[in-house]
Amino acid sequence: MGKHKTPDAMADSIQTIECIKGTTSLMKLQNRLMNPGRLAGIRHLTAGTAHNIKNSLSNIKAVAQFCLDRYEIDEPLRKSLKVIVKNSKKANRTVNVLLNLARPHETALAPGTVNRVVHRAYNLVKPIFLKQGVRLSKRLHRKLPMVLLDEDLLEEAFLNFILNAIDAMPRRGRLSITAYHDPKSAEVVVSFVDSGCGIPNDNLKKIFTPFFTTKKDGTGLGLTLAKHIIELHSGTLQVESKPGYGTEVTVSLPIHIGKRTGR
Ligand SMILES: Nc1ncnc2c1ncn2[C@@H]1O[C@H](COP(=O)(O)OP(=O)(O)OP(=O)(O)O)[C@@H](O)[C@H]1O
Ligand SMILES: [Mg+2]
C-alpha cells in the first residue's frame, strides 16, 4: 500500500474514526444506562409500578366477578364480563413475571440439589400430567454434586419448561427429565425432553424474546424469565427442537466444589 491515501481512502478512515468516536460515546451511554445505581432505580420503579397495576387489576377482576356472581345478566354482557375476568387474570400473570424479573437482588443462593427442585416442580403439575395423559420419566442420578441454587427461583424456571412441554403435547406424549453430573465441564446438567409439536426454526430464534408466544393465553415471558433465572445461577440454557418430533431444553449449572448430596 502507498504512503499517501487516496481521497476515498481518507474519507473511509474519517468515517471509521467517526464510527469509533460514535461507538465510544455509545459505550459511555450504555455504561451510564447500565450503571448499577440506575438499574436498581429502574428495578425499584418497575416493582412499584407493577404492584400498582396488580392492585388495579385485582379490583377490575373482583368487580367483574362480583357482577357475574350477583346479578342475572344478559348473555352478551355476561360474555363481556368473562372476557374482563380472563384478561385481568392474564395481565396479572404478566405482571407477576415482570415483578420476578425486577427482583434479581433477592436471590438467595445456597448449596442444594437439583433433584429436590425437579421433585418440587413435578409435584405442582402432577394433576395436569394425569389429566392430559402425558407420561413422565425421571432419571435423576443419585449422589449428584451440589450446586448453588435458589430453590424457589429454579423451581419457577423448571416449572415453565415442564408447562411448555405439556402445552406442546395436548394429546398424550412423553416428557423425560434427566439430571446427571458432567465431570468434564464440572456441571450438573438437567434436561427436559418432550415428544411434542416441536418449534419451527423461525420461531426458535424468537423464543427468548420477551412477549413472543404462539399460545392464545401465553404471556411469552416464561422462557425470558427462565433464562434470566438460569443466568442468575451462572448457568446456561439451551433449546433444541425438531418440528413434529419434540423439544429438548438443557440447563447446565456449575457444581459447588467439594459438596455431594445423598439423594
Ligand atoms: N417445549 C416446547 N415445545 C414447543 N414449543 C415451545 C416449547 N417451549 C417453548 N415453546 C415455544 O416458545 C414460545 C415461548 O415460550 P414461553 O414459555 O416464553 O411463553 P409461553 O409459554 O407462550 O407463555 P407462558 O410461559 O406465559 O405460558 C411458546 O409460545 C412456544 O411457541
Ligand atoms: Mg411458557
Side-chain angles (χ1 to χ4, degrees):
M1 213 191 247
K3 210 172 176 185
H4 297 289
K5 287 185 175 170
T6 62
D8 275 357
M10 288 217 352
D12 276 354
S13 338
I14 292 167
Q15 271 178 15
T16 315
I17 290 167
E18 276 175 357
C19 184
I20 292 169
K21 267 191 190 163
T23 315
T24 316
S25 38
L26 188 67
M27 275 161 64
K28 272 188 193 153
L29 183 66
Q30 265 177 351
N31 284 344
R32 243 196 77 204
L33 289 174
M34 301 305 280
N35 165 299
R38 192 188 157 95
L39 277 185
I42 292 172
R43 282 198 184 107
H44 193 71
L45 189 69
T46 310
T49 313
H51 270 296
N52 284 344
I53 295 174
K54 263 174 82 74
N55 287 343
S56 308
L57 282 171
S58 316
N59 282 341
I60 293 169
K61 192 179 119 237
V63 172
Q65 191 65 56
F66 175 79
C67 295
L68 277 170
D69 297 342
R70 180 77 187 261
Y71 301 110
E72 294 265 319
I73 16 186
D74 298 345
E75 200 44 36
L77 182 56
R78 175 165 288 278
K79 267 193 186 155
S80 305
L81 287 170
K82 280 186 179 167
V83 171
I84 292 176
V85 172
K86 193 172 143 207
N87 280 289
S88 27
K89 274 187 193 162
K90 185 179 166 189
N92 193 48
R93 275 187 57 213
T94 308
V95 176
N96 277 337
V97 179
L98 286 175
L99 269 173
N100 270 325
L101 280 168
R103 250 189 231 140
H105 291 308
E106 289 172 24
T107 319
L109 295 177
T113 108
V114 293
N115 291 359
R116 207 175 115 89
V117 184
V118 171
H119 287 303
R120 275 180 50 166
Y122 169 67
N123 282 334
L124 288 173
V125 287
K126 211 170 174 178
I128 313 179
F129 272 96
L130 299 174
K131 197 172 144 220
Q132 211 159 299
V134 173
R135 279 180 299 147
L136 177 84
S137 74
K138 276 186 282 179
R139 285 198 300 135
L140 310 177
H141 287 206
R142 282 165 174 267
K143 299 196 176 168
L144 282 180
M146 286 205 178
V147 297
L148 279 182
L149 53 84
D150 179 320
E151 283 197 2
D152 292 339
L153 279 182
L154 204 58
E155 177 189 300
E156 175 107 26
F158 287 2
L159 199 57
N160 188 60
F161 305 141
I162 297 174
L163 289 174
N164 280 347
I166 292 176
D167 287 343
M169 301 183 280
R171 270 169 246 96
R172 311 193 151 267
R174 185 184 193 90
L175 172 67
S176 311
I177 307 180
T178 312
Y180 63 92
H181 172 209
D182 179 356
K184 272 196 209 134
S185 61
E187 285 170 327
V188 168
V189 181
V190 188
S191 80
F192 301 78
V193 182
D194 69 58
S195 64
C197 59
I199 309 171
N201 253 339
D202 276 357
N203 288 356
L204 199 57
K205 294 173 204 147
K206 304 179 207 153
I207 54 172
F208 294 114
T209 307
F211 303 107
F212 172 77
T213 183
T214 54
K215 301 173 193 172
K216 209 168 127 249
D217 292 323
T219 65
L221 285 170
L223 283 178
T224 306
L225 177 63
K227 188 165 182 272
H228 181 71
I229 290 174
I230 302 304
E231 282 165 1
L232 284 173
H233 286 77
S234 309
T236 55
L237 175 60
Q238 212 187 328
V239 180
E240 285 171 30
S241 191
K242 204 169 168 195
Y245 288 88
T247 301
E248 173 164 12
V249 175
T250 312
V251 176
S252 306
L253 300 167
I255 63 171
H256 180 53
I257 309 289
K259 301 273 176 187
R260 278 194 172 265
T261 166
R263 289 201 57 198

